[in-house]
Amino acid sequence: MSDRHGERSASDRVPVDDLLRSAVEPMPADASERVRAKVVAAGVASNPIAARHRRVHAGVAAVLVACALTTAGVGFAAQNALPGDALYPVKRATERMRIVFVPADERADAYLMQADERIREIERLLNAGASARALNEAVEAFCEATRRAIETEPDEASAQRKIDEIRQHVDEAPPAVRDVIESALEEADMAPDPTPPVSPGIPPVKPDSDEPEGGGPPLSEELHLPDPPDPGPPPGEFGVESLPIPKPDSDE
Amino acid sequence: MAAIDERHIDRLVRRALNGDADAFGRIYDVYVDRVYTYACARVNDPHEAEDVTEVVFLKAFEAIGTYDRRGLPFGAWIFRIARNATIDHARRSARVPKPVEDLIEQVGPDPVTVEEQVVARVDDAIIKNAIRRLTDDQASVIACRFFWDMDIRETARALGRTEGAVKALQHRALRSLARILEEMGGDE
């Protein structure tokens, strides 16, 4: 970089900010994986809301255990049932009973968990080459759980958040599952038949007169509601009481 | 380094609040290299930086139930935790980085356009060594602006400063860094 007189030429010099932007380096993979496993486990274990959910679920589980004992384990055995199985109605009845024990402010999340279970069922049915009738039953049940998850939210903003979550869960499903759900909804919307073959679709949270009849968009668009207006941060505060506050220093 | 999609992060945080382990993992994936790079620039060796990174995420995930997305962007929130963790680490290690004096007090309208020219033959390790010699505030503004890709407003919120103060701080940090790099280059 230096000539023989020790001087540096202009072409040897680059802006500091370019150097800084290129200085971000990945943590060594083995260390990163080790730390990842540890902090994720700690996060799940120490999260207060998750812990509250686990307590609720534990309570529900206790009731279910009692029910399972009185029904000679039928309820337990039904947990892996799929549409078309003899025990599937038992599984759905068990889910409905669990909802009764979930606090009202957590009920939307419980319905969302049901929708997730339906997605897993659809995936298993597809993998097993199940009948269209069984697949339809799972798709309809998914729509029902989704509708209830949205309607249970107390206001539009909460419903919007729930829609976002559902949209993400569907987006993260295997492509084949996603296609089944979205095409089922599309077909339902296009079909004038009041008894559509697959699914009645997901009723919107509120009437949307702008939506043309027939030919609905994919699920991710179908579920979309306008973003609520951003209220912006309250002036002069960060809204987090326990937020770590930067330590004072002597720079200024 | 991919840009951060705040809406995606918000969704991940909501899922994490519901106890979704996958969401915790994805949040970690987004921020781990930024936190690690900042830690490398503030502590003395990579193993210590790994320890600090672990502490940052343990604290963040433990406290995620207190995070309010209406108050502070999540990246700024993580950065605050990272900054406090490095300060705590330095105090425990009794190896507080020695600050250099600020050289320039005048500030231009946009400090990003100040092209402090330094010798190109510097690698990442030299840059981190140089950042280690900055004050904590200077290193923090460098991390927010260039490692985290925060804009001036977000950096101001992360550091609890005004936007004008952040501009001034960044200007001084870049000047100091350029001088340090020149000195280090001259020592070669």
Side-chain angles (χ1 to χ4, degrees):
Chain A
M1 290 299 163
S2 303
D3 62 21
R4 58 183 175 176
H5 301 293
E7 297 295 328
R8 300 172 191 279
S9 67
S11 61
D12 288 337
R13 303 162 80 81
V14 296
V16 171
D17 50 330
D18 284 354
L19 289 174
L20 290 170
R21 286 195 171 90
S22 66
V24 175
E25 67 175 285
M27 192 169 171
D30 56 341
S32 183
E33 285 302 313
R34 175 180 53 77
V35 172
R36 189 183 198 273
K38 186 172 180 179
V39 301
V40 167
V44 173
S46 63
N47 184 282
I49 297 178
R52 188 156 53 97
H53 282 182
R54 282 193 297 278
R55 285 196 297 275
V56 170
H57 295 163
V60 172
V63 173
L64 290 177
V65 166
C67 292
L69 288 174
T70 57
T71 57
V74 172
F76 178 78
Q79 293 309 301
N80 288 324
L82 290 173
D85 292 348
L87 287 179
Y88 190 69
V90 177
K91 177 180 183 178
R92 296 292 304 281
T94 303
E95 289 179 346
R96 284 191 287 273
M97 186 173 67
R98 290 179 65 179
I99 289 287
V100 173
F101 293 96
V102 174
D105 62 339
E106 297 177 9
R107 204 156 288 170
D109 285 335
Y111 283 121
L112 185 60
M113 291 171 65
Q114 287 189 4
D116 281 342
E117 177 61 20
R118 298 293 88 80
I119 292 174
R120 285 189 287 272
E121 287 173 359
I122 292 169
E123 182 177 3
R124 290 173 60 199
L125 288 168
L126 286 173
N127 290 338
S131 68
R133 178 177 181 143
L135 202 55
N136 287 346
E137 185 176 355
V139 172
E140 286 183 4
F142 167 81
C143 294
E144 175 68 12
T146 300
R147 182 181 63 79
R148 288 181 179 276
I150 296 170
E151 290 183 346
T152 304
E153 291 290 6
D155 53 53
E156 187 171 326
S158 302
Q160 176 62 53
R161 285 196 290 273
K162 194 59 61 187
I163 289 169
D164 287 343
E165 287 183 47
I166 293 166
R167 181 167 50 209
Q168 177 150 359
H169 289 202
V170 173
D171 287 345
E172 290 172 355
V177 176
R178 198 165 58 234
D179 289 347
V180 165
I181 292 174
E182 292 186 344
S183 65
L185 294 172
E186 285 179 9
E187 284 180 25
D189 285 342
M190 285 187 290
D193 186 345
T195 56
V198 175
S199 164
I202 302 174
V205 173
K206 62 178 184 179
D208 185 357
S209 58
D210 294 330
E211 192 68 28
E213 289 187 6
L219 175 66
S220 57
E221 295 176 31
E222 178 77 20
L223 293 175
H224 181 72
L225 289 179
D227 286 329
D230 183 6
E237 58 95 11
F238 294 113
V240 183
E241 289 182 3
S242 59
L243 203 63
I245 304 301
K247 306 286 193 302
D249 55 77
S250 57
D251 186 65
E252 286 194 343
Chain B
M1 181 63 57
I4 294 175
D5 179 348
E6 289 293 339
R7 283 174 60 91
H8 179 57
I9 294 297
D10 280 346
R11 286 196 294 269
L12 290 177
V13 169
R14 283 202 300 275
R15 286 173 54 195
L17 286 171
N18 284 325
D20 185 335
D22 178 63
F24 279 111
R26 292 185 183 211
I27 293 171
Y28 174 87
D29 293 340
V30 169
Y31 290 104
V32 61
D33 292 341
R34 292 174 168 89
V35 171
Y36 175 70
T37 301
Y38 173 64
C40 282
R42 299 307 291 162
V43 302
N44 288 331
D45 75 59
H47 294 300
E48 289 181 17
E50 290 169 11
D51 293 341
V52 168
T53 301
E54 179 177 322
V55 168
V56 169
F57 283 99
L58 284 174
K59 287 184 175 179
F61 287 173
E62 186 177 300
I64 201 167
T66 68
Y67 170 68
D68 182 351
R69 70 191 183 98
R70 294 166 302 180
L72 192 67
F74 192 77
W77 187 73
I78 288 273
F79 176 78
R80 284 187 171 199
I81 296 172
R83 185 185 186 192
N84 286 344
T86 58
I87 291 172
D88 290 344
H89 179 87
R91 285 178 178 158
R92 278 197 306 273
S93 304
R95 288 195 292 257
V96 179
K98 183 181 178 182
V100 297
E101 295 178 2
D102 288 340
L103 300 177
I104 305 297
E105 296 300 331
Q106 293 82 9
V107 180
D110 182 359
V112 176
T113 63
V114 176
E115 292 192 352
E116 295 299 338
Q117 305 290 305
V118 295
V119 178
R121 192 159 58 88
V122 290
D123 60 23
D124 292 349
I126 292 176
I127 291 175
K128 291 184 179 66
N129 281 335
I131 294 173
R132 211 169 288 138
R133 293 171 59 184
L134 297 175
T135 66
D136 176 66
D137 265 358
Q138 289 174 343
S140 294
V141 79
I142 292 290
C144 287
R145 297 285 282 128
F146 302 111
F147 298 166
W148 253 261
D149 281 331
M150 294 183 196
D151 58 22
I152 290 287
R153 181 172 177 269
E154 195 175 353
T155 302
R157 297 178 72 185
L159 301 183
R161 302 290 187 94
T162 65
E163 293 183 21
V166 166
K167 289 179 181 176
L169 187 58
Q170 179 179 312
H171 185 82
R172 291 196 298 272
L174 288 176
R175 284 295 177 102
S176 297
L177 196 60
R179 184 174 67 81
I180 293 169
L181 288 171
E182 285 287 4
E183 290 173 358
M184 295 170 78
D187 292 340
E188 291 176 351

